[in-house]
């Protein structure tokens, strides 16, 4: 019987196996099964050892296991890639079916506009205290509010849209007010001093810009519009006079309404709800939920009655501007908006390229405040 002795280390990462009378053989640890067999034959290791096991079989098993482990890893990777590909294909099919169905059952924007006016006529505002003056009696003042960090509106699209507001809502019938960082803070300091400390201590300037617009509408009433909101016509007759109007967001996965276009009577109590929420969240770094659209969503939920506000239908006021959403935002934010635009969770608001009679305007989602934010993409994606 041939006895097997311990292996001896050799140079080059090999091991020498003593074959007794047959001598020893150096076998590279990384050798394949065939190389091991040939080496074993040369060393006369085909005899049975004391335990009855075949030495050659042991060598072959070791090498085979190593090869099998590599093949298992490749197989698992291939299976994972197949599952990912199938998941992406399923998402694409579902979205195609959704968009096809949405196109087939899409409601005409003109029908939406007519239905909205009929609904408003049938539902007078409720939930006001007896001592509160009727908003309908006051109506919405013909004032157009916009804002920028200073009095110089940037050349390009912002100037174009700003001038269109003056074209469709001409003076002197309408008054146009451009609010700056300086004049906005002065308004808070003079008329709402209780909020000044919270205003000054907001983490980001966009939070201050958000907050000012609610206080402006409470103080003066009228229409507020972001500089990247492009009017296509004078839509005054589609603004209800007895309550606050908030533009419906097409990005339902993110928010119900946006604060890019809003309107309301002077001193409307709905804005008191937004003041309360902003004060509660004054130390938050999350823009959307502290001062932005998600905060307005919360104000809608806390309002005494749903007739306190009106959502301006996105079919008429905010169709998705595919291909240009968030031009000034970081790449990841633009990618996220593009995904939301195609998501089945998004309401079908129509193709904004169709400039029909019942498309009153469009928010271009410039998100200009992100252009100077180091982590703007994360603010957009994660600050709900």
């Amino acid at each position: 019987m041939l006895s097997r002795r311990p292996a001896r280390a050799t140079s080059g990462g090999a091991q020498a196996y003593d074959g007794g009378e047959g001598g020893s053989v150096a076998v590279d640890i990384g050798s394949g099964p065939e190389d091991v067999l040939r080496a074993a034959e040369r060393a006369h290791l085909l005899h049975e050892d004391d335990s009855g096991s075949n030495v050659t079989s042991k060598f072959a098993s070791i090498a085979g296991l190593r090869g099998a482990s590599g093949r298992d890893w490749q197989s698992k990777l291939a299976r994972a890639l197949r599952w990912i590909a199938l998941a992406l294909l399923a998402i694409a099919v579902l979205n195609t079916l959704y968009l096809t169905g949405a196109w087939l059952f899409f409601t005409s924007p003109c029908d939406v506009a007519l239905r909205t006016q009929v609904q408003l006529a049938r539902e007078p505002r409720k939930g006001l205290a007896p001592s509160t003056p009727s908003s309908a009696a006051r109506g919405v003042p013909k004032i157009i509010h916009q804002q920028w960090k200073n009095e110089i509106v940037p050349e390009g699209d912002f100037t174009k849209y700003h001038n269109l507001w003056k074209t469709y809502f001409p003076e002197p019938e309408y008054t146009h007010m451009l609010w700056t960082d300086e004049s906005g803070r002065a308004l808070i300091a003079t008329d709402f001093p209780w909020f000044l400390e919270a205003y000054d201590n907001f983490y980001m300037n966009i939070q201050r810009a958000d907050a000012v617009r609610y206080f402006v509408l409470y103080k003066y009433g009228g229409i507020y519009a972001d500089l990247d909101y492009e009017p296509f016509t004078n839509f005054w007759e589609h603004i209800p006079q007895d309550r606050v109007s908030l533009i419906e967001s097409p990005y339902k996965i993110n928010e119900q309404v946006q604060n890019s276009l809003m309107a309301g009577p002077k001193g409307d109590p709905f804005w008191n709800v937004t003041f309360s929420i902003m004060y509660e969240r004054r130390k938050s770094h999350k823009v959307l939920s502290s001062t932005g659209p998600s905060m307005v969503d919360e104000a809608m939920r806390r309002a005494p009655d749903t007739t306190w506000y009106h959502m301006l239908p996105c079919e008429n006021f905010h169709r998705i501007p595919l291909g240009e959403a968030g031009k000034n935002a970081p790449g990841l934010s633009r990618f996220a908006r593009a995904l939301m635009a195609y998501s089945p969770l998004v309401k079908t608001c129509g193709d904004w390229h169709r400039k029909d009679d019942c498309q009153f305007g469009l928010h271009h989602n410039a998100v200009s405040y992100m252009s100077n934010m180091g982590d703007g993409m994360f603010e957009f994606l994660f600050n709900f």
Side-chain angles (χ1 to χ4, degrees):
M1 296 295 288
L2 177 68
S3 62
R4 187 179 59 177
R5 297 177 180 84
R8 303 190 307 276
T10 66
S11 61
Q15 285 187 332
Y17 289 86
D18 194 342
E21 295 178 358
S24 62
V25 59
V27 181
D28 194 328
I29 292 176
S31 300
E34 294 180 359
D35 295 330
V36 174
L37 286 172
R38 283 195 294 270
E41 288 174 355
R42 287 197 301 272
H44 306 289
L45 296 176
L46 293 174
H47 300 286
E48 295 289 323
D49 64 5
D50 293 339
S51 62
S53 62
N54 190 287
V55 177
T56 303
S57 298
K58 289 187 177 182
F59 278 123
S61 297
I62 293 172
L65 284 173
R66 286 176 177 165
S69 64
R71 289 192 296 273
D72 287 346
W73 181 85
Q74 293 175 347
S75 176
K76 290 178 180 178
L77 178 61
R79 284 197 298 270
L81 291 175
R82 283 197 296 269
W83 278 111
I84 292 174
L86 287 173
L88 292 174
L89 178 62
I91 291 173
V93 170
L94 288 174
N95 273 281
T96 300
L97 292 174
Y98 170 80
L99 293 173
T100 301
W103 178 78
L104 291 174
F105 299 103
F106 177 63
T107 305
S108 164
C110 292
D111 289 342
V112 172
L114 178 61
R115 183 181 61 201
T116 301
Q117 289 189 312
V118 171
Q119 180 182 1
L120 286 169
R122 292 177 177 175
E123 295 183 353
R125 185 168 180 173
K126 304 173 185 176
L128 289 174
S131 59
T132 304
S134 170
S135 296
R138 299 192 305 271
V140 178
K142 290 189 173 181
I143 307 174
I144 310 299
H145 303 277
Q146 295 186 286
Q147 64 180 164
W148 186 242
K149 53 189 175 184
N150 52 48
E151 295 179 352
I152 303 174
V153 177
E155 294 292 333
D157 288 342
F158 283 3
T159 298
K160 172 187 173 183
Y161 307 149
H162 183 60
N163 291 334
L164 283 174
W165 277 98
K166 294 181 178 180
T167 299
Y168 293 123
F169 299 81
E171 296 175 315
E173 181 180 0
Y174 296 88
T175 300
H176 291 261
M177 300 180 69
L178 180 65
W179 293 87
T180 65
D181 290 351
E182 183 180 353
S183 62
R185 187 185 184 282
L187 173 71
I188 301 294
T190 302
D191 294 278
F192 308 95
W194 60 269
F195 194 78
L196 184 61
E197 182 179 359
Y199 175 87
D200 286 339
N201 290 327
F202 275 134
Y203 176 63
M204 298 176 62
N205 195 54
I206 181 58
Q207 291 174 295
R208 286 181 279 275
D210 277 341
V212 163
R213 62 192 70 180
Y214 312 124
F215 287 105
V216 163
L217 287 175
Y218 181 87
K219 171 70 175 179
Y220 293 96
I223 295 176
Y224 168 83
D226 277 354
L227 281 178
D228 61 348
Y229 191 90
E230 179 184 4
F232 295 154
T233 186
N234 184 315
F235 49 78
W236 186 260
E237 64 181 18
H238 294 276
I239 300 294
Q241 298 295 301
D242 65 339
R243 67 197 73 184
V244 164
S245 294
L246 307 164
I247 187 171
E248 182 182 18
S249 174
Y251 305 107
K252 292 299 184 182
I253 193 174
N254 206 43
E255 69 250 339
Q256 293 298 307
V257 296
Q258 292 189 350
N259 60 357
S260 57
L261 181 71
M262 304 179 290
K266 176 181 178 180
D268 195 282
F270 175 83
W271 302 120
N272 290 324
V273 184
T274 67
F275 301 160
S276 175
I277 298 172
M278 287 193 296
Y279 193 78
E280 289 174 10
R281 302 175 180 180
R282 62 191 182 279
K283 296 182 180 180
S284 173
H285 292 184
K286 297 181 177 181
V287 177
L288 296 182
S289 59
S290 62
T291 59
S294 297
M295 184 279 297
V296 181
D297 286 350
E298 178 63 20
M300 292 164 56
R301 287 188 287 269
R302 295 190 191 185
D305 194 83
T306 57
T307 58
W308 272 42
Y309 56 85
H310 165 64
M311 285 201 294
L312 301 168
C314 62
E315 293 93 336
N316 305 124
F317 291 91
H318 190 0
R319 299 178 191 176
I320 297 176
L322 296 178
E324 64 172 61
K327 287 180 179 178
N328 296 322
L332 187 56
S333 293
R334 294 198 300 272
F335 176 71
R337 284 183 178 270
L339 284 180
M340 287 194 294
Y342 285 107
S343 170
L345 298 177
V346 174
K347 177 181 177 180
T348 303
C349 298
D351 181 2
W352 75 277
H353 292 92
R354 287 178 51 190
K355 301 288 178 63
D356 56 46
D357 292 338
C358 295
Q359 184 176 189
F360 306 138
L362 174 69
H363 183 214
H364 288 273
N365 291 297
V367 287
S368 56
Y369 67 91
M370 286 188 178
S371 60
N372 296 320
M373 288 168 51
D375 294 324
M377 64 186 75
F378 299 106
E379 287 289 338
F380 172 77
L381 289 172
F382 302 115
N383 66 34
F384 300 93

